Amino acid sequence: METEVAVVPLTPLDIHNKEFSRGFRGYDEDEVNEFLDQIIKDYEMLIREKKQLEEKVAELTEKLNYFSNIEETLNKSILVAQEAAEEVKRNAQKEAKLIIKEAEKNAERIIGDALAKSRKIALEIEELKRQSKVFRARFRMLVEAQLDMINSRDWDELMEYETPDLEEEAKEPLSQP
């Protein structure tokens, strides 16, 4: 089993403080120091960039979480709105069915009332016809009786009846017994 050794990243200060042992015919010390200075600058720049990138990642992660929450909220709102719309639609359909049933009942009642009135009027018409026949028969009998009376001989006899001369009677004295 191998044990892992934690490698701690170097800092610019570690690079700056690094001491190298000197050997015979070693590297030029100024050249090495100059190169190390350049490495320190580049390393510091990389650390700053890394820190900036980490901050940018944190900011973008926060924004992503914010927009994810908004998306989740919008999705929930859409579902609630769809459910509400379906409920409104179901209620409207139920109400429409109730209105139609009520209208059908009213129509049946109105038709029933109209038929009853029609039957009543038809019966009244029949009664009026019957009464008209009775009146006509009675009126005919009356007219015929009147015609019989007009055509009777009594009228002729009445015409033949002579009236006394009233002037002559007025001249005659009243006789006494």
Side-chain angles (χ1 to χ4, degrees):
M1 222 197 272
E2 293 181 32
T3 59
E4 288 188 31
V5 177
V7 178
V8 178
L10 290 175
T11 64
L13 191 59
D14 291 336
I15 296 171
H16 181 67
N17 292 334
K18 177 68 176 163
E19 292 286 328
F20 294 98
S21 54
R22 297 185 191 264
F24 179 76
R25 294 184 73 177
Y27 292 107
D28 180 4
E29 189 176 333
D30 289 335
E31 199 176 313
V32 168
N33 285 337
E34 214 177 277
F35 184 71
L36 286 176
D37 286 342
Q38 183 63 41
I39 291 175
I40 290 170
K41 286 179 190 173
D42 290 348
Y43 198 69
E44 284 176 344
M45 184 181 72
L46 287 174
I47 290 174
R48 278 193 305 273
E49 284 179 8
K50 181 183 177 220
K51 185 177 180 183
Q52 287 173 348
L53 290 173
E54 285 173 347
E55 288 173 359
K56 186 72 171 174
V57 166
E59 179 185 335
L60 291 175
T61 301
E62 186 178 321
K63 284 183 179 179
L64 179 64
N65 288 338
Y66 172 75
F67 287 118
S68 293
N69 287 338
I70 289 176
E71 179 185 22
E72 185 179 333
T73 302
L74 287 174
N75 286 337
K76 287 179 182 177
S77 298
I78 289 171
L79 287 176
V80 168
Q82 287 173 338
E83 290 171 1
E86 287 297 320
E87 184 66 24
V88 166
K89 183 179 174 182
R90 282 191 298 272
N91 288 340
Q93 288 173 340
K94 286 179 186 176
E95 189 172 338
K97 286 179 182 178
L98 288 175
I99 289 171
I100 289 170
K101 283 183 181 180
E102 188 66 28
E104 287 172 348
K105 285 180 185 177
N106 285 339
E108 288 175 14
R109 181 185 51 79
I110 290 169
I111 290 170
D113 290 350
L115 286 173
K117 286 179 182 177
S118 173
R119 287 184 193 114
K120 183 180 177 184
I121 290 171
L123 290 173
E124 288 174 359
I125 289 172
E126 289 302 315
E127 178 61 22
L128 288 172
K129 284 180 181 179
R130 187 189 65 74
Q131 289 177 2
S132 173
K133 285 179 184 177
V134 169
F135 175 76
R136 183 176 178 199
R138 287 182 181 167
F139 189 64
R140 176 178 283 145
M141 287 172 45
L142 178 66
V143 168
E144 286 174 356
Q146 295 297 319
L147 279 174
D148 285 347
M149 209 192 303
I150 291 173
N151 291 332
S152 76
R153 285 188 46 104
D154 292 342
W155 285 101
D156 291 336
E157 290 174 8
L158 185 62
M159 291 299 185
E160 292 173 6
Y161 178 73
E162 289 188 23
T163 57
D165 193 6
L166 292 177
E167 287 180 17
E168 286 181 25
E169 282 185 24
K171 291 179 188 175
E172 292 179 15
L174 288 173
S175 57
Q176 294 195 357

